[in-house]
Amino acid sequence: TPSIDQEPVQRDLLSPSDSTQILHSSNEKNELIIFIDPMDGTREFVENRIENVQCLIGITLNGKPIAGAVGMPMIHEDKIEIAYGIDLPADSEQATLTPLSKLSGVKYFNTLNPLVKQLSVTDTGMGDYIDGEGDVKTLVVLSGDSKKPALTMSMKCLESDVLGTFVDSAPPIRKIIAGGCGNKMLFVQRRFEALSERIRHQEGTDLSSIIGSISLAPPGSSSWDTAGPTALLLAADPNAVVTDLIGRPLVYDGEHLSNDCGVVVSAGHMATRIHREMCEKLRRDEVFCEALGVVLCDAEII
């Protein structure tokens, strides 16, 4: 489970001098972009699945998510929960300018939620898996209920073309339908954190036994849906992987705001391997690339 930070919010987590150094280092091309999504999960809100609704803030530096906050205003009766993360690459010039190259935690703020009694009662099974009660050997696969061909084809590729080649070594799968892009990405992070904590207490520090989780999403999300959750995920698990459905990094340039080729998110030793193998197969599939609207040229995407 995420660590609970009982300290008040500190405005000086990055002091003005640190922030200035990060933005005005020797690299004159540094570009800082802030992406804000005041309500991720609009459809879920309308359908009264308000536990899936989140407020997202993401910060990117030169196209890489480095910080994010995920507000969950509708999952508690008397408080708002905010998860946050900072992920500056350890070998970057920016990371050497501040001690906070990695930071991950949760804060709570007292408030009343008049909608909490209207929470939907549908049990998706996400709770047990987030709390670490689910089997560490199980691969959890999250997706929405979209009927878009890209999602159907990628799910088939994962189950048949990738896991189908594992013979006797394929892990059991638990498929979960969930709403909200940020909600699914946060699940991947929190399940990894919960299982990591359990393994450290019970078995030591070897996390290679964690199969992990994968989230698949067809085209339709935007930069503001993924920037913040990506930073949170990488702050918790530097080995996590976030790409589009054909294995390319997501673009954060402030101009191309739509994730036109979908999103795949994974954390965990086996999940990241499966993620990469699935994307490799999909990028070589002419029918799939045609469905995405990308051109396949000599097995390369152009």
PDB file of all heavy atoms in Angstrom, residues 134-171:
ATOM      1  N   GLY A 134      -4.075 -10.165  -3.902  1.00  0.00           N
ATOM      2  CA  GLY A 134      -4.068 -11.006  -5.083  1.00  0.00           C
ATOM      3  C   GLY A 134      -2.751 -11.762  -5.214  1.00  0.00           C
ATOM      4  O   GLY A 134      -1.716 -11.366  -4.682  1.00  0.00           O
ATOM      5  N   ASP A 135      -2.774 -12.872  -5.928  1.00  0.00           N
ATOM      6  CA  ASP A 135      -1.610 -13.734  -6.074  1.00  0.00           C
ATOM      7  C   ASP A 135      -0.481 -12.997  -6.785  1.00  0.00           C
ATOM      8  O   ASP A 135      -0.675 -12.413  -7.852  1.00  0.00           O
ATOM      9  CB  ASP A 135      -2.007 -14.985  -6.856  1.00  0.00           C
ATOM     10  CG  ASP A 135      -0.889 -16.011  -6.915  1.00  0.00           C
ATOM     11  OD1 ASP A 135       0.199 -15.736  -6.372  1.00  0.00           O
ATOM     12  OD2 ASP A 135      -1.105 -17.081  -7.501  1.00  0.00           O
ATOM     13  N   VAL A 136       0.715 -13.053  -6.201  1.00  0.00           N
ATOM     14  CA  VAL A 136       1.882 -12.402  -6.801  1.00  0.00           C
ATOM     15  C   VAL A 136       2.239 -13.043  -8.133  1.00  0.00           C
ATOM     16  O   VAL A 136       2.906 -12.436  -8.968  1.00  0.00           O
ATOM     17  CB  VAL A 136       3.082 -12.474  -5.829  1.00  0.00           C
ATOM     18  CG1 VAL A 136       3.571 -13.902  -5.680  1.00  0.00           C
ATOM     19  CG2 VAL A 136       4.214 -11.566  -6.275  1.00  0.00           C
ATOM     20  N   LYS A 137       1.768 -14.268  -8.363  1.00  0.00           N
ATOM     21  CA  LYS A 137       2.074 -14.993  -9.601  1.00  0.00           C
ATOM     22  C   LYS A 137       1.036 -14.754 -10.692  1.00  0.00           C
ATOM     23  O   LYS A 137       1.126 -15.330 -11.769  1.00  0.00           O
ATOM     24  CB  LYS A 137       2.160 -16.496  -9.318  1.00  0.00           C
ATOM     25  CG  LYS A 137       3.230 -16.885  -8.312  1.00  0.00           C
ATOM     26  CD  LYS A 137       4.630 -16.614  -8.828  1.00  0.00           C
ATOM     27  CE  LYS A 137       5.706 -17.125  -7.884  1.00  0.00           C
ATOM     28  NZ  LYS A 137       7.073 -16.842  -8.380  1.00  0.00           N
ATOM     29  N   THR A 138       0.035 -13.933 -10.419  1.00  0.00           N
ATOM     30  CA  THR A 138      -1.033 -13.672 -11.381  1.00  0.00           C
ATOM     31  C   THR A 138      -0.741 -12.413 -12.192  1.00  0.00           C
ATOM     32  O   THR A 138      -0.348 -11.382 -11.640  1.00  0.00           O
ATOM     33  CB  THR A 138      -2.387 -13.517 -10.671  1.00  0.00           C
ATOM     34  OG1 THR A 138      -2.724 -14.741 -10.008  1.00  0.00           O
ATOM     35  CG2 THR A 138      -3.494 -13.177 -11.657  1.00  0.00           C
ATOM     36  N   LEU A 139      -0.943 -12.504 -13.499  1.00  0.00           N
ATOM     37  CA  LEU A 139      -0.839 -11.329 -14.362  1.00  0.00           C
ATOM     38  C   LEU A 139      -2.208 -10.658 -14.422  1.00  0.00           C
ATOM     39  O   LEU A 139      -3.178 -11.261 -14.880  1.00  0.00           O
ATOM     40  CB  LEU A 139      -0.406 -11.734 -15.771  1.00  0.00           C
ATOM     41  CG  LEU A 139      -0.387 -10.603 -16.812  1.00  0.00           C
ATOM     42  CD1 LEU A 139       0.722  -9.608 -16.491  1.00  0.00           C
ATOM     43  CD2 LEU A 139      -0.211 -11.175 -18.217  1.00  0.00           C
ATOM     44  N   VAL A 140      -2.288  -9.426 -13.945  1.00  0.00           N
ATOM     45  CA  VAL A 140      -3.530  -8.660 -14.015  1.00  0.00           C
ATOM     46  C   VAL A 140      -3.498  -7.809 -15.278  1.00  0.00           C
ATOM     47  O   VAL A 140      -2.535  -7.083 -15.527  1.00  0.00           O
ATOM     48  CB  VAL A 140      -3.717  -7.769 -12.775  1.00  0.00           C
ATOM     49  CG1 VAL A 140      -4.943  -6.877 -12.946  1.00  0.00           C
ATOM     50  CG2 VAL A 140      -3.856  -8.618 -11.526  1.00  0.00           C
ATOM     51  N   VAL A 141      -4.547  -7.940 -16.086  1.00  0.00           N
ATOM     52  CA  VAL A 141      -4.651  -7.188 -17.335  1.00  0.00           C
ATOM     53  C   VAL A 141      -5.870  -6.280 -17.242  1.00  0.00           C
ATOM     54  O   VAL A 141      -6.996  -6.755 -17.103  1.00  0.00           O
ATOM     55  CB  VAL A 141      -4.779  -8.121 -18.556  1.00  0.00           C
ATOM     56  CG1 VAL A 141      -4.890  -7.300 -19.840  1.00  0.00           C
ATOM     57  CG2 VAL A 141      -3.591  -9.069 -18.628  1.00  0.00           C
ATOM     58  N   LEU A 142      -5.642  -4.976 -17.310  1.00  0.00           N
ATOM     59  CA  LEU A 142      -6.731  -4.013 -17.226  1.00  0.00           C
ATOM     60  C   LEU A 142      -7.033  -3.426 -18.591  1.00  0.00           C
ATOM     61  O   LEU A 142      -6.133  -3.216 -19.403  1.00  0.00           O
ATOM     62  CB  LEU A 142      -6.373  -2.877 -16.270  1.00  0.00           C
ATOM     63  CG  LEU A 142      -6.111  -3.255 -14.823  1.00  0.00           C
ATOM     64  CD1 LEU A 142      -4.632  -3.160 -14.533  1.00  0.00           C
ATOM     65  CD2 LEU A 142      -6.885  -2.358 -13.885  1.00  0.00           C
ATOM     66  N   SER A 143      -8.306  -3.179 -18.820  1.00  0.00           N
ATOM     67  CA  SER A 143      -8.729  -2.473 -20.026  1.00  0.00           C
ATOM     68  C   SER A 143     -10.091  -1.876 -19.753  1.00  0.00           C
ATOM     69  O   SER A 143     -10.754  -2.206 -18.773  1.00  0.00           O
ATOM     70  CB  SER A 143      -8.785  -3.414 -21.231  1.00  0.00           C
ATOM     71  OG  SER A 143      -9.871  -4.310 -21.104  1.00  0.00           O
ATOM     72  N   GLY A 144     -10.505  -0.988 -20.656  1.00  0.00           N
ATOM     73  CA  GLY A 144     -11.870  -0.481 -20.588  1.00  0.00           C
ATOM     74  C   GLY A 144     -12.793  -1.413 -21.345  1.00  0.00           C
ATOM     75  O   GLY A 144     -12.413  -2.516 -21.734  1.00  0.00           O
ATOM     76  N   ASP A 145     -14.015  -0.946 -21.580  1.00  0.00           N
ATOM     77  CA  ASP A 145     -14.989  -1.773 -22.305  1.00  0.00           C
ATOM     78  C   ASP A 145     -15.151  -1.314 -23.746  1.00  0.00           C
ATOM     79  O   ASP A 145     -16.157  -1.589 -24.396  1.00  0.00           O
ATOM     80  CB  ASP A 145     -16.341  -1.769 -21.597  1.00  0.00           C
ATOM     81  CG  ASP A 145     -16.914  -0.361 -21.424  1.00  0.00           C
ATOM     82  OD1 ASP A 145     -16.266   0.611 -21.881  1.00  0.00           O
ATOM     83  OD2 ASP A 145     -17.995  -0.231 -20.823  1.00  0.00           O
ATOM     84  N   SER A 146     -14.148  -0.617 -24.258  1.00  0.00           N
ATOM     85  CA  SER A 146     -14.198  -0.131 -25.634  1.00  0.00           C
ATOM     86  C   SER A 146     -14.276  -1.289 -26.625  1.00  0.00           C
ATOM     87  O   SER A 146     -13.682  -2.351 -26.416  1.00  0.00           O
ATOM     88  CB  SER A 146     -12.959   0.717 -25.944  1.00  0.00           C
ATOM     89  OG  SER A 146     -12.883   1.030 -27.310  1.00  0.00           O
ATOM     90  N   LYS A 147     -15.022  -1.064 -27.697  1.00  0.00           N
ATOM     91  CA  LYS A 147     -15.122  -2.061 -28.776  1.00  0.00           C
ATOM     92  C   LYS A 147     -14.218  -1.702 -29.953  1.00  0.00           C
ATOM     93  O   LYS A 147     -14.336  -2.289 -31.028  1.00  0.00           O
ATOM     94  CB  LYS A 147     -16.574  -2.153 -29.257  1.00  0.00           C
ATOM     95  CG  LYS A 147     -17.581  -2.458 -28.163  1.00  0.00           C
ATOM     96  CD  LYS A 147     -17.265  -3.777 -27.458  1.00  0.00           C
ATOM     97  CE  LYS A 147     -18.325  -4.068 -26.378  1.00  0.00           C
ATOM     98  NZ  LYS A 147     -17.986  -5.286 -25.602  1.00  0.00           N
ATOM     99  N   LYS A 148     -13.310  -0.759 -29.758  1.00  0.00           N
ATOM    100  CA  LYS A 148     -12.423  -0.353 -30.839  1.00  0.00           C
ATOM    101  C   LYS A 148     -11.554  -1.526 -31.274  1.00  0.00           C
ATOM    102  O   LYS A 148     -11.041  -2.277 -30.438  1.00  0.00           O
ATOM    103  CB  LYS A 148     -11.547   0.820 -30.404  1.00  0.00           C
ATOM    104  CG  LYS A 148     -12.319   2.109 -30.169  1.00  0.00           C
ATOM    105  CD  LYS A 148     -11.392   3.242 -29.771  1.00  0.00           C
ATOM    106  CE  LYS A 148     -12.170   4.548 -29.580  1.00  0.00           C
ATOM    107  NZ  LYS A 148     -11.288   5.665 -29.166  1.00  0.00           N
ATOM    108  N   PRO A 149     -11.371  -1.694 -32.587  1.00  0.00           N
ATOM    109  CA  PRO A 149     -10.577  -2.830 -33.098  1.00  0.00           C
ATOM    110  C   PRO A 149      -9.177  -2.893 -32.505  1.00  0.00           C
ATOM    111  O   PRO A 149      -8.651  -3.978 -32.274  1.00  0.00           O
ATOM    112  CB  PRO A 149     -10.539  -2.575 -34.608  1.00  0.00           C
ATOM    113  CG  PRO A 149     -11.746  -1.747 -34.894  1.00  0.00           C
ATOM    114  CD  PRO A 149     -11.943  -0.893 -33.692  1.00  0.00           C
ATOM    115  N   ALA A 150      -8.558  -1.744 -32.255  1.00  0.00           N
ATOM    116  CA  ALA A 150      -7.192  -1.744 -31.729  1.00  0.00           C
ATOM    117  C   ALA A 150      -7.107  -2.448 -30.392  1.00  0.00           C
ATOM    118  O   ALA A 150      -6.138  -3.173 -30.117  1.00  0.00           O
ATOM    119  CB  ALA A 150      -6.684  -0.307 -31.600  1.00  0.00           C
ATOM    120  N   LEU A 151      -8.107  -2.266 -29.531  1.00  0.00           N
ATOM    121  CA  LEU A 151      -8.103  -2.927 -28.226  1.00  0.00           C
ATOM    122  C   LEU A 151      -8.381  -4.413 -28.381  1.00  0.00           C
ATOM    123  O   LEU A 151      -7.715  -5.251 -27.760  1.00  0.00           O
ATOM    124  CB  LEU A 151      -9.130  -2.283 -27.301  1.00  0.00           C
ATOM    125  CG  LEU A 151      -9.221  -2.893 -25.895  1.00  0.00           C
ATOM    126  CD1 LEU A 151      -7.876  -2.807 -25.189  1.00  0.00           C
ATOM    127  CD2 LEU A 151     -10.302  -2.195 -25.069  1.00  0.00           C
ATOM    128  N   THR A 152      -9.353  -4.752 -29.203  1.00  0.00           N
ATOM    129  CA  THR A 152      -9.683  -6.164 -29.418  1.00  0.00           C
ATOM    130  C   THR A 152      -8.490  -6.930 -29.983  1.00  0.00           C
ATOM    131  O   THR A 152      -8.154  -8.032 -29.524  1.00  0.00           O
ATOM    132  CB  THR A 152     -10.873  -6.290 -30.381  1.00  0.00           C
ATOM    133  OG1 THR A 152     -11.989  -5.560 -29.856  1.00  0.00           O
ATOM    134  CG2 THR A 152     -11.266  -7.746 -30.564  1.00  0.00           C
ATOM    135  N   MET A 153      -7.819  -6.338 -30.963  1.00  0.00           N
ATOM    136  CA  MET A 153      -6.686  -7.004 -31.604  1.00  0.00           C
ATOM    137  C   MET A 153      -5.478  -7.097 -30.680  1.00  0.00           C
ATOM    138  O   MET A 153      -4.768  -8.115 -30.662  1.00  0.00           O
ATOM    139  CB  MET A 153      -6.313  -6.265 -32.892  1.00  0.00           C
ATOM    140  CG  MET A 153      -7.410  -6.300 -33.957  1.00  0.00           C
ATOM    141  SD  MET A 153      -7.086  -5.185 -35.353  1.00  0.00           S
ATOM    142  CE  MET A 153      -5.733  -6.032 -36.156  1.00  0.00           C
ATOM    143  N   SER A 154      -5.229  -6.062 -29.890  1.00  0.00           N
ATOM    144  CA  SER A 154      -4.086  -6.109 -28.978  1.00  0.00           C
ATOM    145  C   SER A 154      -4.322  -7.108 -27.852  1.00  0.00           C
ATOM    146  O   SER A 154      -3.399  -7.815 -27.428  1.00  0.00           O
ATOM    147  CB  SER A 154      -3.789  -4.723 -28.405  1.00  0.00           C
ATOM    148  OG  SER A 154      -4.907  -4.184 -27.733  1.00  0.00           O
ATOM    149  N   MET A 155      -5.557  -7.204 -27.373  1.00  0.00           N
ATOM    150  CA  MET A 155      -5.863  -8.190 -26.329  1.00  0.00           C
ATOM    151  C   MET A 155      -5.699  -9.606 -26.871  1.00  0.00           C
ATOM    152  O   MET A 155      -5.159 -10.494 -26.189  1.00  0.00           O
ATOM    153  CB  MET A 155      -7.283  -7.981 -25.806  1.00  0.00           C
ATOM    154  CG  MET A 155      -7.637  -8.842 -24.608  1.00  0.00           C
ATOM    155  SD  MET A 155      -6.714  -8.403 -23.112  1.00  0.00           S
ATOM    156  CE  MET A 155      -7.568  -6.885 -22.650  1.00  0.00           C
ATOM    157  N   LYS A 156      -6.131  -9.840 -28.100  1.00  0.00           N
ATOM    158  CA  LYS A 156      -5.972 -11.152 -28.722  1.00  0.00           C
ATOM    159  C   LYS A 156      -4.490 -11.485 -28.898  1.00  0.00           C
ATOM    160  O   LYS A 156      -4.055 -12.619 -28.655  1.00  0.00           O
ATOM    161  CB  LYS A 156      -6.678 -11.191 -30.073  1.00  0.00           C
ATOM    162  CG  LYS A 156      -6.553 -12.521 -30.813  1.00  0.00           C
ATOM    163  CD  LYS A 156      -7.295 -12.487 -32.136  1.00  0.00           C
ATOM    164  CE  LYS A 156      -7.175 -13.817 -32.865  1.00  0.00           C
ATOM    165  NZ  LYS A 156      -5.769 -14.113 -33.239  1.00  0.00           N
ATOM    166  N   CYS A 157      -3.705 -10.487 -29.300  1.00  0.00           N
ATOM    167  CA  CYS A 157      -2.267 -10.690 -29.470  1.00  0.00           C
ATOM    168  C   CYS A 157      -1.627 -11.066 -28.143  1.00  0.00           C
ATOM    169  O   CYS A 157      -0.804 -11.995 -28.073  1.00  0.00           O
ATOM    170  CB  CYS A 157      -1.630  -9.424 -30.035  1.00  0.00           C
ATOM    171  SG  CYS A 157       0.166  -9.508 -30.209  1.00  0.00           S
ATOM    172  N   LEU A 158      -1.998 -10.372 -27.089  1.00  0.00           N
ATOM    173  CA  LEU A 158      -1.423 -10.653 -25.775  1.00  0.00           C
ATOM    174  C   LEU A 158      -1.731 -12.075 -25.332  1.00  0.00           C
ATOM    175  O   LEU A 158      -0.841 -12.819 -24.884  1.00  0.00           O
ATOM    176  CB  LEU A 158      -1.954  -9.641 -24.753  1.00  0.00           C
ATOM    177  CG  LEU A 158      -1.364  -9.695 -23.338  1.00  0.00           C
ATOM    178  CD1 LEU A 158      -1.397  -8.315 -22.703  1.00  0.00           C
ATOM    179  CD2 LEU A 158      -2.120 -10.675 -22.446  1.00  0.00           C
ATOM    180  N   GLU A 159      -3.000 -12.470 -25.458  1.00  0.00           N
ATOM    181  CA  GLU A 159      -3.412 -13.772 -24.947  1.00  0.00           C
ATOM    182  C   GLU A 159      -2.951 -14.932 -25.829  1.00  0.00           C
ATOM    183  O   GLU A 159      -2.489 -15.964 -25.322  1.00  0.00           O
ATOM    184  CB  GLU A 159      -4.935 -13.813 -24.798  1.00  0.00           C
ATOM    185  CG  GLU A 159      -5.475 -12.862 -23.743  1.00  0.00           C
ATOM    186  CD  GLU A 159      -6.967 -13.019 -23.535  1.00  0.00           C
ATOM    187  OE1 GLU A 159      -7.365 -13.954 -22.821  1.00  0.00           O
ATOM    188  OE2 GLU A 159      -7.731 -12.221 -24.103  1.00  0.00           O
ATOM    189  N   SER A 160      -3.073 -14.775 -27.141  1.00  0.00           N
ATOM    190  CA  SER A 160      -2.791 -15.893 -28.048  1.00  0.00           C
ATOM    191  C   SER A 160      -1.360 -15.883 -28.575  1.00  0.00           C
ATOM    192  O   SER A 160      -0.645 -16.888 -28.484  1.00  0.00           O
ATOM    193  CB  SER A 160      -3.774 -15.867 -29.230  1.00  0.00           C
ATOM    194  OG  SER A 160      -5.110 -15.957 -28.780  1.00  0.00           O
ATOM    195  N   ASP A 161      -0.933 -14.745 -29.102  1.00  0.00           N
ATOM    196  CA  ASP A 161       0.354 -14.699 -29.785  1.00  0.00           C
ATOM    197  C   ASP A 161       1.536 -14.574 -28.834  1.00  0.00           C
ATOM    198  O   ASP A 161       2.652 -14.958 -29.181  1.00  0.00           O
ATOM    199  CB  ASP A 161       0.382 -13.535 -30.774  1.00  0.00           C
ATOM    200  CG  ASP A 161      -0.696 -13.669 -31.837  1.00  0.00           C
ATOM    201  OD1 ASP A 161      -1.144 -14.798 -32.078  1.00  0.00           O
ATOM    202  OD2 ASP A 161      -1.088 -12.642 -32.418  1.00  0.00           O
ATOM    203  N   VAL A 162       1.310 -14.012 -27.648  1.00  0.00           N
ATOM    204  CA  VAL A 162       2.406 -13.867 -26.691  1.00  0.00           C
ATOM    205  C   VAL A 162       2.316 -14.944 -25.611  1.00  0.00           C
ATOM    206  O   VAL A 162       3.172 -15.824 -25.523  1.00  0.00           O
ATOM    207  CB  VAL A 162       2.409 -12.466 -26.049  1.00  0.00           C
ATOM    208  CG1 VAL A 162       3.533 -12.357 -25.016  1.00  0.00           C
ATOM    209  CG2 VAL A 162       2.591 -11.402 -27.122  1.00  0.00           C
ATOM    210  N   LEU A 163       1.270 -14.894 -24.791  1.00  0.00           N
ATOM    211  CA  LEU A 163       1.150 -15.880 -23.717  1.00  0.00           C
ATOM    212  C   LEU A 163       0.970 -17.294 -24.263  1.00  0.00           C
ATOM    213  O   LEU A 163       1.373 -18.270 -23.625  1.00  0.00           O
ATOM    214  CB  LEU A 163      -0.029 -15.518 -22.803  1.00  0.00           C
ATOM    215  CG  LEU A 163       0.145 -14.235 -21.985  1.00  0.00           C
ATOM    216  CD1 LEU A 163      -1.119 -13.942 -21.182  1.00  0.00           C
ATOM    217  CD2 LEU A 163       1.343 -14.338 -21.063  1.00  0.00           C
ATOM    218  N   GLY A 164       0.394 -17.402 -25.449  1.00  0.00           N
ATOM    219  CA  GLY A 164       0.191 -18.723 -26.047  1.00  0.00           C
ATOM    220  C   GLY A 164       1.482 -19.433 -26.379  1.00  0.00           C
ATOM    221  O   GLY A 164       1.511 -20.656 -26.557  1.00  0.00           O
ATOM    222  N   THR A 165       2.586 -18.671 -26.470  1.00  0.00           N
ATOM    223  CA  THR A 165       3.886 -19.283 -26.784  1.00  0.00           C
ATOM    224  C   THR A 165       4.656 -19.683 -25.533  1.00  0.00           C
ATOM    225  O   THR A 165       5.748 -20.250 -25.638  1.00  0.00           O
ATOM    226  CB  THR A 165       4.751 -18.299 -27.603  1.00  0.00           C
ATOM    227  OG1 THR A 165       5.046 -17.145 -26.793  1.00  0.00           O
ATOM    228  CG2 THR A 165       4.015 -17.848 -28.849  1.00  0.00           C
ATOM    229  N   PHE A 166       4.106 -19.394 -24.360  1.00  0.00           N
ATOM    230  CA  PHE A 166       4.806 -19.693 -23.120  1.00  0.00           C
ATOM    231  C   PHE A 166       4.693 -21.165 -22.713  1.00  0.00           C
ATOM    232  O   PHE A 166       5.316 -21.596 -21.760  1.00  0.00           O
ATOM    233  CB  PHE A 166       4.257 -18.820 -21.979  1.00  0.00           C
ATOM    234  CG  PHE A 166       4.813 -17.425 -21.974  1.00  0.00           C
ATOM    235  CD1 PHE A 166       4.928 -16.704 -23.151  1.00  0.00           C
ATOM    236  CD2 PHE A 166       5.201 -16.815 -20.806  1.00  0.00           C
ATOM    237  CE1 PHE A 166       5.426 -15.417 -23.164  1.00  0.00           C
ATOM    238  CE2 PHE A 166       5.706 -15.522 -20.794  1.00  0.00           C
ATOM    239  CZ  PHE A 166       5.807 -14.819 -21.985  1.00  0.00           C
ATOM    240  N   VAL A 167       3.859 -21.913 -23.419  1.00  0.00           N
ATOM    241  CA  VAL A 167       3.612 -23.338 -23.136  1.00  0.00           C
ATOM    242  C   VAL A 167       3.181 -23.484 -21.676  1.00  0.00           C
ATOM    243  O   VAL A 167       2.139 -23.005 -21.296  1.00  0.00           O
ATOM    244  CB  VAL A 167       4.852 -24.202 -23.454  1.00  0.00           C
ATOM    245  CG1 VAL A 167       4.480 -25.677 -23.408  1.00  0.00           C
ATOM    246  CG2 VAL A 167       5.407 -23.850 -24.832  1.00  0.00           C
ATOM    247  N   ASP A 168       3.999 -24.123 -20.839  1.00  0.00           N
ATOM    248  CA  ASP A 168       3.608 -24.378 -19.447  1.00  0.00           C
ATOM    249  C   ASP A 168       3.977 -23.247 -18.503  1.00  0.00           C
ATOM    250  O   ASP A 168       3.645 -23.293 -17.317  1.00  0.00           O
ATOM    251  CB  ASP A 168       4.255 -25.683 -18.950  1.00  0.00           C
ATOM    252  CG  ASP A 168       3.762 -26.896 -19.717  1.00  0.00           C
ATOM    253  OD1 ASP A 168       2.601 -26.874 -20.162  1.00  0.00           O
ATOM    254  OD2 ASP A 168       4.551 -27.858 -19.863  1.00  0.00           O
ATOM    255  N   SER A 169       4.695 -22.235 -19.011  1.00  0.00           N
ATOM    256  CA  SER A 169       5.184 -21.189 -18.116  1.00  0.00           C
ATOM    257  C   SER A 169       4.304 -19.938 -18.110  1.00  0.00           C
ATOM    258  O   SER A 169       4.639 -18.968 -17.449  1.00  0.00           O
ATOM    259  CB  SER A 169       6.612 -20.787 -18.514  1.00  0.00           C
ATOM    260  OG  SER A 169       6.639 -20.293 -19.842  1.00  0.00           O
ATOM    261  N   ALA A 170       3.213 -19.960 -18.855  1.00  0.00           N
ATOM    262  CA  ALA A 170       2.332 -18.789 -18.896  1.00  0.00           C
ATOM    263  C   ALA A 170       1.670 -18.578 -17.535  1.00  0.00           C
ATOM    264  O   ALA A 170       1.133 -19.527 -16.951  1.00  0.00           O
ATOM    265  CB  ALA A 170       1.269 -18.959 -19.969  1.00  0.00           C
ATOM    266  N   PRO A 171       1.694 -17.345 -17.014  1.00  0.00           N
ATOM    267  CA  PRO A 171       1.061 -17.093 -15.720  1.00  0.00           C
ATOM    268  C   PRO A 171      -0.453 -17.063 -15.852  1.00  0.00           C
ATOM    269  O   PRO A 171      -0.983 -16.782 -16.932  1.00  0.00           O
ATOM    270  CB  PRO A 171       1.598 -15.706 -15.349  1.00  0.00           C
ATOM    271  CG  PRO A 171       1.821 -15.040 -16.678  1.00  0.00           C
ATOM    272  CD  PRO A 171       2.294 -16.135 -17.596  1.00  0.00           C
TER     273      PRO A 171
END
